[in-house]
Amino acid sequence: MLSDVYIEKRPNETLEYFDVDPVYLLSGQARSLERLVLFRPGHLGHEGVSRFWNVVSLTLRDIRAPQVQYYVHAFPNLQELSIIGSRLSNPQGPYWNHPEDEGSGVLRALNMAQQSRGGSWTRLTQYQGSPMGLYVLSLAFPISLMQLVDNDADGEEMELDLLQAIIEPATPTHLSLDLPGAVKFLGQGFIDLFAASYSQKIRSLQLVISPIFDEDGNVSMDALLEYCTKILSCLPSISRFTFRLRSIWDEPAGDTTIPHMGAGRVNLLPDEVSLTPFELSIHLCDFEAFARGCLASAASLETVLVGLAYHRTRADCTIRQDAPTSQQQWTHKHAR
């Protein structure tokens, strides 16, 4: 009896998107399969695909032109969906073509029309991965937990209009945003995003910021604290807030002082390296005070976690600040 399966379809220059997908080979396990990972999935819309009634978790990796009606048919009781890597292309074009600029709009409109005619799932407990992948599926129902990560770490998948389009119908209670760059976060747009009615059910929020060397050099921790408190004050149901900084910088030309990730990393002293203003602000930051400031910004907050990883002059750490009824705890974490 199979419960977990991973399937990969390798590239073929002559393969068209509408060729069949090897998932049909699992038809004999349709009643026992519970979790499925498809790598470069093809087309599920053919007679060979059974209905996998017990599949509750589906992961799609390196997806090109997903049509949601086929996944709804094949996995009617799905609860958890992950999309990791989405190189979108026009569904009328060859499967292995380079992505086209209009691909996301074409796919979103197609999936919206298909669900209007044929129905869809009614809710998901979890979505994890690409914001663009969720956008093109055009899912218009509640998703309790959303963990959104920009696959390419270039910020294009974290544009405000795209986030609004996917968060509004989902009305999540737990939301995590992995943001490449702090500058995008420092603006009225993000405050408006969380002040909107569709964000009012959020009970736990996680913001992970990975600074970008060329863009975030002059950002300060004071500015980040100000925006965090403004966002938290917009959320009447918020009980848990996590804020993490992954201080990983692109290596400037000729600068050999920036350590690479991995085992054996040694933190440098401030006088051994030229820190950007943002790095210096992080180095001097009182993270305990930062956590207290966040905690004071919303009466409903019970716990605040503030974490740092991969800074050049500070050890990785996580601070926990609880509401006055609990005692503050410190947890120090080693470099990964």
Side-chain angles (χ1 to χ4, degrees):
M1 178 182 296
L2 292 176
S3 61
D4 296 68
V5 173
Y6 176 98
I7 294 179
E8 176 178 353
K9 183 167 70 173
R10 298 189 179 279
N12 183 328
E13 290 183 357
T14 64
L15 183 66
E16 297 291 321
Y17 175 72
F18 292 102
D19 285 351
V20 299
D21 191 283
V23 72
Y24 80 93
L25 297 173
L26 296 172
S27 298
Q29 306 297 326
R31 289 289 177 179
S32 63
L33 194 63
E34 296 178 358
R35 309 179 71 87
L36 183 62
V37 178
L38 299 177
F39 188 59
R40 300 191 184 103
H43 186 51
L44 299 181
H46 61 88
E47 295 180 358
V49 174
S50 299
R51 306 198 79 180
F52 295 84
W53 296 96
N54 291 325
V55 168
V56 295
S57 176
L58 175 65
T59 298
L60 306 175
R61 302 181 65 97
D62 197 15
I63 195 167
R64 292 299 178 99
Q67 294 192 46
V68 70
Q69 65 176 351
Y70 302 128
Y71 293 101
V72 171
H73 172 80
F75 312 109
N77 295 315
L78 192 69
Q79 298 178 24
E80 301 174 1
L81 175 64
S82 300
I83 296 180
I84 304 173
S86 53
R87 303 177 182 180
L88 303 174
S89 61
N90 191 315
Q92 276 71 47
Y95 179 52
W96 292 108
N97 263 7
H98 291 292
E100 300 179 9
D101 292 338
E102 71 273 16
S104 60
V106 172
L107 283 169
R108 180 171 171 82
L110 177 64
N111 283 317
M112 189 178 299
Q114 288 178 351
Q115 291 173 91
S116 295
R117 292 192 303 267
S120 185
W121 302 296
T122 58
R123 67 179 302 113
L124 292 176
T125 59
Q126 177 177 317
Y127 175 83
Q128 181 177 14
S130 162
M132 182 61 74
L134 184 57
Y135 174 81
V136 300
L137 290 182
S138 189
L139 303 183
F141 48 74
I143 303 174
S144 301
L145 171 61
M146 298 180 71
Q147 297 175 295
L148 304 177
V149 180
D150 187 336
N151 289 289
D152 297 324
D154 57 9
E156 291 186 1
E157 291 197 49
M158 288 294 180
E159 297 295 337
L160 282 169
D161 55 349
L162 191 152
L163 290 177
Q164 177 182 346
I166 61 179
I167 293 175
E168 182 172 4
T171 59
T173 54
H174 308 280
L175 177 64
S176 175
L177 299 178
D178 199 322
L179 302 168
V183 169
K184 287 182 177 293
F185 172 66
L186 296 174
Q188 184 62 38
F190 262 96
I191 297 174
D192 294 340
L193 179 73
F194 289 104
S197 60
Y198 48 80
S199 297
Q200 300 306 289
K201 293 183 180 180
I202 294 176
R203 295 202 302 268
S204 70
L205 174 64
Q206 175 171 271
L207 299 175
V208 181
I209 294 181
S210 300
I212 298 175
F213 188 85
D214 293 334
E215 297 180 8
D216 297 334
N218 293 313
V219 174
S220 72
M221 291 300 294
D222 288 340
L224 288 176
L225 174 60
E226 177 184 356
Y227 275 86
C228 284
T229 57
K230 287 181 178 179
I231 285 172
L232 292 170
S233 66
C234 297
L235 302 174
S237 302
I238 190 74
S239 63
R240 185 181 182 91
F241 175 59
T242 303
F243 180 84
R244 300 192 184 280
L245 276 171
R246 286 200 299 253
S247 188
I248 304 169
W249 298 90
D250 296 328
E251 184 173 339
D255 189 345
T256 60
T257 63
I258 299 180
H260 295 286
M261 294 168 50
R265 182 174 67 87
V266 177
N267 289 103
L268 303 171
L269 298 175
D271 58 358
E272 293 179 317
V273 62
S274 177
L275 298 177
T276 69
F278 189 20
E279 283 184 299
L280 182 59
S281 178
I282 296 172
H283 176 81
L284 298 174
C285 180
D286 182 344
F287 282 98
E288 183 179 5
F290 190 102
R292 286 198 304 270
C294 292
L295 190 63
S297 62
S300 60
L301 262 175
E302 299 174 1
T303 300
V304 171
L305 295 170
V306 178
L308 174 67
Y310 305 120
H311 192 271
R312 290 193 282 171
T313 61
R314 285 191 69 159
D316 297 358
C317 67
T318 298
I319 286 179
R320 174 170 175 157
Q321 180 74 53
D322 292 314
T325 53
S326 303
Q327 220 175 13
Q328 179 186 355
Q329 301 174 8
W330 278 78
T331 302
H332 293 276
K333 293 184 178 179
H334 297 291
R336 298 172 187 173

